[in-house]
Amino acid sequence: MKNILIGLTFLIGVSFFTSCQDSLDLEPKSAIGDNGFYKNTEEVQAAVFAMYDGLQNVVQREFALTEMRSDNSKTKNSEGEWAQFETMDVSPNNGTLSTYWTDLYNVVFRANKVLQNLDVVSNVELNAQFEGEAKFIRALAYFNLTRGFGDVPLVTKVIVPGEEVGQVKVLSSSVLDQIELDLNDAISKLASRGNVEEGRATIGAAQALLAKVKLTRGDYTGARTLLEAIVGSGDYSLAASYRDVFYSELNSEIIFAVQFLNDHAVESQDFSYEFTNLGRNSGLNYVTSDLVAAVGTTDTERIGVLYNPEDVKENGKFISSSSDNRLCGNDWVILRLADVYLMHSEAILAGQSETTDGSAIASYNMIRSRVNLSTLPTDGSATLTKDMLFNERRVELAFENHRLYDLVRSGDAEKVMGDFASANGFTFNGTKLLLPIPQREIDTSFGVLTQNPGY
């Protein structure tokens, strides 16, 4: 049993935490009272669990706004609103887009409520843990918001009636500043793996996320320090096989994952179902021929997990063992050690086109050797190129929602996606790398919230 989900069921039926709000309108929920639902440690802990529950909603369809907007995946039939993602032509009125925005800000709201009510938690260690978890989860939500939408409203407190702070865009750089502040604070307060329930945020999770933020901002030295701290902690190790990463849950490689349970009316997911031919458009997040070409034919261990080589359609990372196709228990992995190793190589590469650094090559080799692929000498006689590294990331992390943001971070997004668009018959320009602000949010802001360029 995944312990954190036991706590989540406590909240079922409490409409105060509903994720079904129609727009970014936080005022009614904050008008309950100074502490509202929170009167003691147990209730704040329930609110902490509610943040993780909110992340479940986010990851259910996040693949459409990330992986399906890259050269990795598509729908089977290329029809309806879902096809807008694979052609990077997303309408501001797209329902999945609106839900994603709302779900992310709902997570922010939940984190802010925890932070507002920490004064009722008298135990110093618990108080610090709760604060660290809330700041990690708020940072994760904002990182996904600003990578997806660019400049977004930055809300760091519970909004009270009459405040417009939740509708005014803030520069992406300022959002990233806040994310770094939250994550540095989280690192100082969170427990290490082994000292907290699996599935909850840890020091390692905050370090890994902050390293990715620093890579995004070009702070390669800062990222390298964090990544080496994770590897040196001894808390994580690569799973024995590539398959074990996804089918041996809570394994040693997982740094942070959103948890689900099989055959559970509340704590199950259905993205595993949607990735099959039974899903919408006869299947979502299907493998593109471009990804198949990138994987090649010799990478047999990863091919066997990524897709069926005899019938290349469905991605194979999230096949469910549930007795009910729509109540699946596969976790969604957000951060894992293989990502850390490859980010370490990237940090040493430091924006250059190649490196002979032995440490960068050793981290790259860790991923290659697990799947029995050729490795490079680490004595300075071999060269690791940016293209080699990012192709390794593409294959190793395929269908985990990294590809588009990797391309943006590498500086190659416009060229790669432009070529992919030309080869697949759709039009692309650089403004499409950001999503549109949902039209519903603009309409309900009465002109305060503005649309992104190109939409």
Side-chain angles (χ1 to χ4, degrees), residues 207 222-233 340 344 348 359 363:
Q207 289 172 323
R224 180 175 181 175
T225 299
L226 289 160
L227 296 163
E228 289 177 353
I230 297 166
V231 173
S233 71
V340 164
H344 182 242
I348 297 172
S359 295
S363 289

Side-chain angles (χ1 to χ4, degrees), residues 129-182:
Q129 176 68 25
F130 293 167
E131 182 178 353
E133 287 179 274
K135 288 185 173 178
F136 169 80
I137 288 175
R138 184 170 71 181
L140 176 62
Y142 271 123
F143 192 42
N144 288 339
L145 277 163
T146 196
R147 288 191 298 174
F149 297 94
D151 301 343
V152 294
L154 180 61
V155 185
T156 57
K157 64 177 184 176
V158 177
I159 298 173
V160 299
E163 289 188 281
E164 291 185 347
V165 64
Q167 297 175 327
V168 178
K169 275 187 178 181
V170 172
L171 290 175
S172 178
S173 58
S174 296
V175 178
L176 290 169
D177 287 343
Q178 181 64 49
I179 290 169
E180 291 208 36
L181 285 172
D182 278 352

Side-chain angles (χ1 to χ4, degrees), residues 99-119:
T99 299
Y100 183 59
W101 172 283
T102 300
D103 286 343
L104 282 168
Y105 273 106
N106 184 266
V107 168
V108 169
F109 167 74
R110 295 179 189 213
N112 287 341
K113 284 296 287 185
V114 170
L115 293 170
Q116 177 183 269
N117 288 278
L118 287 172
D119 60 310

Side-chain angles (χ1 to χ4, degrees), residues 13 224 238 320:
R224 180 175 181 175
L238 292 178
S320 176

Side-chain angles (χ1 to χ4, degrees), residues 39 41 49 103 122 139 160 162 178 189 218 242 244 247 271 295 309 329 363 367 391 404 410 419-420:
K39 302 181 185 68
T41 297
F49 289 165
D103 286 343
S122 57
V160 299
Q178 181 64 49
K189 291 178 168 61
Y242 190 62
D244 284 348
Y247 294 103
F271 55 76
V295 176
S363 289
I367 310 309
N391 190 70
L404 179 65
S410 73
D419 291 346
F420 181 73

